[in-house]
Amino acid sequence: MALTLAEKILQAHIVKEACPDTEFVPGIPIRRGADIAIRIDQTLTQDATGTMTYLQFETIGIPRVKTELSVSYVDHNTLQTDFRNMDDHRYLQSVAAKYGLYFSRAGNGICHQVHLERFGKPGKTLLGSDSHTPTGGGIGMIAIGAGGLDVAVAMGGGAFHLAMPKIYGVKLTGTLKKGVGAKDIILEVLRRETVKGGVGAIYEYFGEGAQALTVPQRATITNMGAELGATCSIFPSDETTKAFLEVMGRSEAWTEQKADEGAQYDKLIEIDLSALQPLAAQPHSPDAIASIASIAGKKVTQVCIGSCTNSSLDDLAAVAAIVKGKHIAPGVEAGIAPGSRTTLLMAEKAGILGELIRAGFRILESACGPCIGMGFAPNTEGVSLRTFNRNFKGRSGTADANVYLVSPETAAAAAITGVITDATTLQYEDPSYTTEGRISLLTGTLAGLSSQAITGIATDDGMLIPPLDEAEASKVEILRGPNIKPCPPAPAFEEKLKLPVLLKAADNVSTDDIMPAGTKVLPFRSNIPEISKFTFERIDADFYKKAEAGNFSGCIVVGGENYGQGSSREHAALGPMYLGVRVVLTKSFARIHQANLINYGILPITFANPDDYDMISEGDTLELTNIEEAVTTGADFDIVINGAKGTKTIKGKNSMAERSRNIIKAGGLAAYTRAGGQ
Ligand code: MIC
Ligand code: SF4
C-alpha cells in the first residue's frame, strides 16, 4: 500500500519488542492512536533543559550514549549575569566529554539552526528536549520535541513511545510573491488550524510549491508547526535538500525521501502560495492571525529578528534587501540575532552583515536571546514586531507589551517605516527572493564567491567539540557548581487521593504560564527547590505561598483546553510536583506536557464531560476513589467533587496507554527505567 513519507520513516524505526501489542505489518498503515515505539537515531538538548536531562541520564547509569549521534547545545541561557550560567555550561561540557556527545559551545548558535546545518540527516529520527526540534523536518527528518527525561532514556538506547499520529497533507501550489515569506505560510496554516489543531498529528508538506522552497524556508515552517501542537512536520528530501547539504560539506548525508505515489492523508490542506498576503500573529497567541494590510499603520517601538524560526541566511538576506540604503526609523529599536556562527560568517562574506549594521540594527549574539526573554524586553505597552514563534503574554519580559509574530520581510519594513507596513507595497530589489536566487546566495555565487569558500566556512567546526574516545572519556571528571542540585524524585504511587484544588485555570495555559523563563528564572533551571518558587507565578502570584501553607502535602490543579501548550520544559511538571501537585484535571492537554506530567508521577486526567469544569471552584476538595483500578486496567477515574457548588461524582477520562500507567505505578519514568521498564 502507498505510504506517506512520515509513515515510511516511522515504520523503518519501529521497535516491535517495545510495543508488542500493536499490530504492525510493514507497508500497511498503522492504526492511528495505536501505541508505537520508535528507535531514536539522534538526540539534541539545549542548556536550559539539558542540565536536568543529564542529571537524569547520570542516574540511569549508562556509561556512554547509545544513539548514532547526540549533541548538547548551549544557546538559551547565555547572559551569564553571575556564576550560575557558566557553571551550568561547564557541567554540560564535562558531561558531553564523559558520555560521548558533541558539545556546541555558547556562541556557536541556536540548537535547531546548527543541527540543520551540521548534523541533520534525511530519513533519520531526532528527539530533542526542546519543542522546536521539529525544525529538522525541513530536511526530511522525523524530528520530535520531548521532555528531557524522555531524551535521557533515548540516549540510553530506549525507544520513544507515542500514539501513532494522524498524518495531515499540506499541498502547496504556486510561488510566493516578493515581500511574502515562508513565515506567512505557517501563519496561514495556524490561521486555519489553531494552536490545538495539530495535537496528535504530523503535517506533511508536498507539491510544486513545496519544491520551490529552500531548506531554511522549509525549516521555518516545520519549526513553527510546534505552535499547532503537532507532533512534528516534514518536507520531502529532494534536489534542493541535496544542494543545501552539499554547500554544508555534507553531501554524503543526503538521501531522497518522499511519500509513495497515491499516499492517503487523514486530511488535506491546500494553499496557493501566489495568493498569500503578509500575515501577523497578534497579541497574545500564535494563532490570532490578521493580515498585515488590516493592521498597517500601527506604530511600532521595537523590531526583533532572529530565533530558531527565522535566523537563516535567507532571512538575513530578505531583511538586508529591504533596509539597504535606509536607516531604522527614529521611534524604533531594532535587533537582529543570526541563528548560527556559520550564518553570521556567511552573511559577512555576502556583504549582508554590513548592510544590517549600517542600517542601524543592534547585532545580538547568535543565541535565543529575546525570544526567551533574555534581554531586549520591549518598553511599557510597547509594540514589538518579532520574527519568532511565540507571543504568550509576558514572555518578552514586559508584561503589558504587545508582541506580533511576523516574517523577516514584514519586520524589516516596519523597522524602516516605524509603522506596521505591508512589504509587498515597498519598492526594493531582492536578488535572492526566488529559489534560484536563494540557492546562489547559499552557494556564494550571488556574492561573487566560490561555493568552496562558503563550504569552508560551514565546515569549520571549531566551536563544536567532538566526543572523546572511551578511554579518554572514562578519565573525565564531571564539574558541578553549587547551584546544581539533583533532580528530586517523583512521588510514590497512591491508590486513593483526597486533595484540595489549589488553582483553577482557563484555556490554553502555556508552560510559560506554569513556569516562566527570562533572566530572573532561567538561572535556576538546575535547581528545582529554587525554581519551584516561580510556579504559576503569572496566573496566581500566591500559588507558592498557598502550597507552602498546606505544607506541600498535596493538591490538584484544574485547567481548560490545551493545557501545557508551548515549551517542552519539564520544569513545568517538576515545579508543580515539588510543590505537591498530584493531579492535573483539564478539558485537554498538549502532548509534551502531558508526557512530562506522567514522567514525574503526576496524574493527567481529562473531564469525560467538559461541562463538569464549571462545577469546580478553587478550594473545593476532589476525591479520587479508584486510582488503583484505573491505573491497572485503563478504566476511567471516579472523582467526587466536594465543593462550593455541592457534591457530585464525575468521570475523569483515562487516556494513558499501558506503558504510561506503568510509569505512574512505578513512581515516574526514572524509577520505571531503573527497574528495567522499556
Ligand atoms: C521555548 O521556546 O520556550 C524554549 C525555551 O526553547 C523551550 C525549552 C525550554 O523551556 O527550555 C521549548 O520550546 O521547548
Ligand atoms: Fe530558542 Fe526561541 Fe527557538 Fe525556543 S523558540 S529554541 S527560545 S529561539
Side-chain angles (χ1 to χ4, degrees):
M1 260 174 104
L3 295 183
T4 62
L5 172 56
E7 284 175 306
K8 283 164 80 170
I9 302 179
L10 286 172
Q11 290 207 357
H13 287 84
I14 293 279
V15 182
K16 193 64 199 99
E17 317 80 78
C19 52
D21 299 334
T22 301
E23 199 182 326
F24 169 54
V25 183
I28 305 285
I30 301 174
R31 183 178 60 78
R32 307 314 192 216
D35 174 37
I36 59 167
I38 56 169
R39 181 169 38 83
I40 296 299
D41 301 322
Q42 302 188 344
T43 64
L44 71 77
T45 58
Q46 38 88 342
D47 50 325
T49 55
T51 46
M52 275 300 141
T53 309
Y54 298 108
L55 285 166
Q56 299 278 11
F57 183 77
E58 288 185 79
T59 69
I60 295 175
I62 286 169
R64 197 172 171 89
V65 292
K66 293 189 176 163
T67 47
E68 289 175 12
L69 171 105
S70 286
V71 192
S72 172
Y73 292 92
V74 174
D75 54 359
H76 278 62
N77 199 6
T78 55
L79 219 46
Q80 298 176 322
T81 46
D82 61 24
F83 63 93
R84 293 185 184 96
N85 290 179
M86 197 166 160
D87 279 1
D88 278 356
H89 303 168
R90 281 164 58 83
Y91 166 73
L92 292 171
Q93 183 167 352
S94 63
V95 166
K98 180 137 200 100
Y99 293 109
L101 289 91
Y102 274 92
F103 181 68
S104 175
R105 304 165 71 178
N108 200 38
I110 305 175
C111 54
H112 308 303
Q113 179 70 21
V114 178
H115 206 86
L116 203 64
E117 291 168 353
R118 306 309 312 139
F119 298 113
K121 274 195 183 168
K124 297 280 181 184
T125 54
L126 166 69
L127 193 72
S129 65
D130 190 282
S131 63
H132 290 103
T133 304
T135 312
I139 44 171
M141 302 183 87
I142 287 285
I144 303 179
L149 190 46
D150 281 323
V151 176
V153 168
M155 286 191 293
F160 177 65
H161 288 251
L162 72 163
M164 177 66 201
K166 292 188 209 116
I167 320 281
Y168 297 158
V170 189
K171 183 173 179 195
L172 304 181
T173 54
T175 47
L176 293 170
K177 286 196 283 280
K178 186 155 67 95
V180 183
K183 180 65 155 280
D184 296 307
I185 305 176
I186 185 64
L187 291 176
E188 172 63 12
V189 181
L190 273 154
R191 185 182 74 75
R192 298 192 195 183
E193 297 280 290
T194 80
V195 288
K196 54 183 191 335
V199 176
I202 295 178
Y203 288 79
E204 184 168 318
Y205 291 79
F206 63 95
E208 103 245 6
Q211 245 167 40
L213 298 173
T214 60
V215 166
Q217 288 182 307
R218 297 173 186 183
T220 292
I221 296 168
T222 54
N223 170 285
M224 209 173 165
E227 274 52 66
L228 296 161
T231 304
C232 63
S233 304
I234 190 165
F235 274 82
S237 163
D238 55 14
E239 289 300 315
T240 308
T241 321
K242 192 175 180 183
F244 174 82
L245 287 169
E246 258 165 21
V247 180
M248 292 296 138
R250 301 199 293 122
S251 15
E252 77 296 339
W254 184 77
T255 50
E256 187 179 32
Q257 301 288 334
K258 60 176 182 188
D260 292 334
E261 200 72 49
Q264 295 294 313
Y265 293 94
D266 293 290
K267 168 162 102 181
L268 187 65
I269 298 167
E270 295 193 55
I271 303 177
D272 174 5
L273 302 187
S274 1
L276 216 56
Q277 299 295 329
L279 299 171
Q282 305 185 90
H284 301 283
S285 180
D287 64 357
I289 308 294
S291 70
I292 290 295
S294 70
I295 51 174
K298 191 175 186 57
K299 254 181 139 197
V300 171
T301 57
Q302 192 192 56
V303 165
C304 296
I305 295 166
S307 93
C308 55
T309 320
N310 281 117
S311 57
S312 66
L313 190 64
D314 283 32
D315 297 318
L316 305 193
V319 173
I322 292 175
V323 303
K324 189 172 179 168
K326 312 223 166 47
H327 289 111
I328 305 296
V332 178
E333 251 197 69
I336 190 160
S340 68
R341 176 174 149 274
T342 302
T343 303
L344 186 53
L345 285 168
M346 291 196 300
E348 189 261 327
K349 281 272 181 274
I352 290 170
L353 184 62
E355 288 296 349
L356 299 174
I357 297 174
R358 212 200 34 72
F361 273 102
R362 288 171 58 183
I363 307 297
L364 309 177
E365 192 179 11
S366 284
C368 300
C371 179
I372 188 62
M374 300 303 276
F376 226 77
N379 56 305
T380 305
E381 292 179 8
V383 172
S384 180
L385 257 57
R386 300 179 161 213
T387 65
F388 307 167
N389 47 37
R390 291 190 173 138
N391 58 348
F392 304 138
K393 201 168 171 36
R395 179 174 160 107
S396 65
T398 303
D400 61 7
N402 291 302
V403 175
Y404 292 75
L405 306 174
V406 298
S407 69
E409 289 83 349
T410 303
I416 52 167
T417 61
V419 293
I420 296 185
T421 302
D422 182 341
T424 63
T425 64
L426 299 178
Q427 294 292 326
Y428 66 97
E429 289 282 310
D430 184 352
S432 80
Y433 104 90
T434 59
T435 315
E436 298 69 41
R438 285 183 192 268
I439 289 177
S440 57
L441 174 74
L442 187 69
T443 53
T445 46
L446 191 67
L449 293 164
S450 67
S451 55
Q452 285 93 322
I454 294 292
T455 306
I457 292 172
T459 51
D460 168 8
D461 284 333
M463 293 292 281
L464 271 172
I465 302 177
L468 292 177
D469 65 35
E470 274 173 61
E472 285 301 309
S474 66
K475 294 186 213 141
V476 172
E477 191 202 328
I478 295 191
L479 305 173
R480 281 173 229 275
N483 184 48
I484 299 180
K485 304 278 185 245
C487 185
F493 175 71
E494 285 184 75
E495 296 182 3
K496 285 193 176 106
L497 287 170
K498 187 173 178 183
L499 299 171
V501 174
L502 222 56
L503 178 78
K504 184 176 177 193
D507 288 348
N508 292 320
V509 166
S510 72
T511 43
D512 278 84
D513 295 325
I514 306 173
M515 181 60 78
T519 49
K520 210 169 68 178
V521 188
L522 271 195
F524 296 111
R525 282 286 180 98
S526 318
N527 187 338
I528 301 303
E530 276 307 312
I531 206 170
S532 68
K533 295 181 181 159
F534 299 93
T535 306
F536 291 117
E537 195 193 54
R538 292 218 183 118
I539 305 180
D540 177 358
D542 290 332
F543 187 85
Y544 180 80
K545 280 201 209 122
K546 288 185 194 163
E548 193 179 31
N551 257 332
F552 307 114
S553 60
C555 62
I556 294 178
V557 167
V558 173
E561 298 278 8
N562 199 24
Y563 180 89
Q565 68 162 333
S567 155
S568 66
R569 64 190 68 150
E570 295 178 293
H571 303 76
L574 276 163
M577 176 196 94
Y578 194 74
L579 302 188
V581 176
R582 295 288 171 264
V583 179
V584 181
L585 176 60
T586 68
K587 292 188 186 168
S588 64
F589 285 98
R591 174 188 63 88
I592 305 178
H593 186 61
Q594 181 171 16
N596 285 340
L597 291 174
I598 295 169
N599 288 351
Y600 288 103
I602 301 176
L603 282 171
I605 306 177
T606 49
F607 290 100
N609 174 5
D611 293 343
D612 290 335
Y613 170 89
D614 300 322
M615 261 298 287
I616 303 179
S617 314
E618 240 164 70
D620 288 358
T621 300
L622 302 189
E623 200 177 340
L624 281 76
T625 51
N626 70 334
I627 303 180
E628 167 70 25
E629 183 211 351
V631 169
T632 309
T633 66
D636 283 347
F637 292 89
D638 293 324
I639 305 172
V640 185
I641 306 173
N642 273 307
K645 294 188 183 139
T647 300
K648 186 180 175 191
T649 302
I650 63 164
K651 283 277 177 205
K653 231 165 121 194
N654 182 356
S655 56
M656 289 184 285
E658 193 182 347
R659 175 175 180 267
S660 300
R661 303 199 309 268
N662 290 338
I663 291 173
I664 290 278
K665 262 207 158 158
L669 179 58
Y672 174 83
T673 308
R674 278 194 295 272
Q678 283 226 328

